[in-house]
Amino acid sequence: MTAPLRALIADDEPLSLRRLELGLERIEGVHVVGAAQNGAEARSLIRSTSPDLVLLDIRMPDASGLDLAEELQGKNAPEVIFVTAYSRHAARAFDLDAVDYVLKPLDFDRLAEAVERARARIAAREGAQKLAEMSAVLEQLRDSDEPEGEGYAREIWVNDRRGRVRVPVDQVIWFEAEREYVRIHGPERSYLVRRALRELTDRLDPEQFLRLHRSGLVNRAKIERVVRRPSGGLAAVLSNGVEVPVGRKYQNAVRKRLRM
C-alpha cells in the first residue's frame, strides 16, 4: 500500500485555511500534518513535520510564501503548490520550481489536479533516487563481478543509459585518465567511469597493459607500431588509429617491454 502524501498548509486567513483542509480531505491518500497562519509558524512546522508537500499562500505575516519556497531547496525539500489570490506572482513561483499555482477562490477539482501533479513529481523523484542508490550498490559490488584468479580483472562493469554494461578487458584498446574519471576506449565506443587510473592499473595484468604516460594505459595487443614524433619523443599508434604519446619517464620501460 502506498504511503499517504503528507501535506502542510499555510494561509493567514482562517477561512481559506479551512477550505484548504476540506479540499485535501476530499483527495484520497493525502494526510494534513500541520496548518500555519504565518510564515514563521509555517517554517517551524516544516522543520518539525518534514512534509512531502507544502501548500502556501503568497502574502503572510513574518515570511511570504515566496520567501519560504526559496528556503525549501535541495533534494529532500518538499514539493510546493501556491494557493493565492494574486496571479502576478506566478512567474516567480515557477522560477522557484513550484508544482502549480492555484488561484483563489479555491476550486476543489483544480486543487486535486495540482496535488496529483505533486504526487507524480514525488514518485518520479523517488524512482530516480532508488535507481541512483541501486547504481551505487552495484558500483560497490563491482569487484565481485570479476573473477579473482591471479587477482587481475578480466572484465569491467560500467554504467550506461540502458543499465550496466560488461566490458571485456581484452577488448579495451586503452584507458585515458580524465581528472577523477577514466575513459575506457573500446573498438566501437568509449565509456566514462568514475575511477582513478591508478586503481585500474593495480587491477589489470601488467603483462597485458603498458603505461605510456601518466594519463594513458594501453593494451599491448592493440599497439600497431611505435613511431618517433617530430619533437623527438615516441608515440604508440593503436589499432583504432589513435596516436598516444609516450612520456619521457616511461620511454625506457616501453623500449624494454616492447623489445625495441
Side-chain angles (χ1 to χ4, degrees), residues 9-27 30 32 35-37 55 83-84 102-112 115:
I9 56 179
D11 196 306
D12 64 334
E13 298 178 2
L15 290 178
S16 296
L17 200 62
R18 180 56 183 158
R19 187 162 178 80
L20 268 176
E21 288 179 319
L22 291 174
L24 293 175
E25 286 174 3
R26 295 161 57 101
I27 303 172
V30 177
V32 177
Q37 290 189 265
L55 295 94
V83 183
T84 180
V102 180
L103 290 175
K104 297 176 182 179
L106 180 65
D107 179 84
F108 287 162
D109 290 338
R110 179 70 181 86
L111 176 64
V115 170

Side-chain angles (χ1 to χ4, degrees), residues 17-260:
L17 200 62
R18 180 56 183 158
R19 187 162 178 80
L20 268 176
E21 288 179 319
L22 291 174
L24 293 175
E25 286 174 3
R26 295 161 57 101
I27 303 172
E28 186 177 356
V30 177
H31 173 57
V32 177
V33 296
Q37 290 189 265
N38 59 65
E41 186 181 3
R43 183 184 289 113
S44 177
L45 283 173
I46 291 168
R47 290 172 179 169
S48 62
T49 63
S50 300
D52 305 307
L53 173 64
V54 178
L55 295 94
L56 298 173
D57 189 14
I58 293 286
R59 291 190 175 180
M60 293 186 294
D62 300 321
S64 72
L66 293 171
D67 292 335
L68 291 173
E70 192 165 6
E71 296 173 14
L72 299 176
Q73 301 296 320
K75 64 179 182 179
N76 295 320
E79 298 296 337
V80 174
I81 295 172
F82 286 101
V83 183
T84 180
Y86 304 98
S87 61
R88 64 179 178 273
H89 298 291
R92 175 61 179 149
F94 287 114
D95 283 343
L96 294 171
D97 201 29
V99 173
D100 211 334
Y101 195 92
V102 180
L103 290 175
K104 297 176 182 179
L106 180 65
D107 179 84
F108 287 162
D109 290 338
R110 179 70 181 86
L111 176 64
E113 178 185 326
V115 170
E116 290 311 309
R117 287 182 181 175
R119 201 193 305 270
R121 187 186 286 195
I122 292 168
R125 184 175 65 187
E126 290 177 348
Q129 184 174 346
K130 288 179 181 178
L131 181 60
E133 290 172 354
M134 184 180 298
S135 296
V137 170
L138 288 171
E139 190 69 19
Q140 291 175 0
L141 295 176
R142 67 180 183 269
D143 290 343
S144 65
D145 293 331
E146 300 161 354
E148 294 185 1
E150 294 295 325
Y152 300 127
R154 294 202 294 269
E155 58 191 26
I156 298 171
W157 286 86
V158 300
N159 291 323
D160 185 75
R161 286 177 295 179
R162 294 167 293 180
R164 297 278 288 175
V165 177
R166 184 179 68 89
V167 181
V169 165
D170 59 5
Q171 292 183 15
V172 175
I173 298 174
W174 70 300
F175 297 94
E176 180 183 15
E178 295 184 7
R179 296 188 177 181
E180 67 267 33
Y181 293 86
V182 172
R183 185 168 297 280
I184 304 173
H185 294 275
E188 302 295 334
R189 58 168 296 187
S190 66
Y191 301 92
L192 193 65
V193 297
R194 190 180 180 88
R195 202 178 298 186
L197 185 60
R198 179 183 296 276
E199 178 189 346
L200 276 173
T201 302
D202 292 341
R203 298 176 60 240
L204 295 171
D205 186 350
E207 294 299 318
Q208 184 180 7
F209 286 89
L210 184 62
R211 192 74 171 263
L212 295 191
H213 56 79
R214 60 182 300 183
S215 301
L217 183 67
V218 173
N219 188 339
R220 289 180 60 183
K222 306 298 182 181
I223 298 176
E224 297 289 334
R225 63 186 183 277
V226 177
V227 298
R228 289 198 173 276
R229 307 182 74 193
S231 61
L234 301 177
V237 180
L238 308 182
S239 60
N240 61 353
V242 172
E243 187 174 298
V244 180
V246 180
R248 182 175 300 177
K249 65 177 290 187
Y250 297 95
Q251 288 186 14
N252 289 337
V254 169
R255 288 191 177 96
K256 182 177 180 181
R257 293 283 300 280
L258 298 180
R259 298 182 175 85
M260 294 175 59

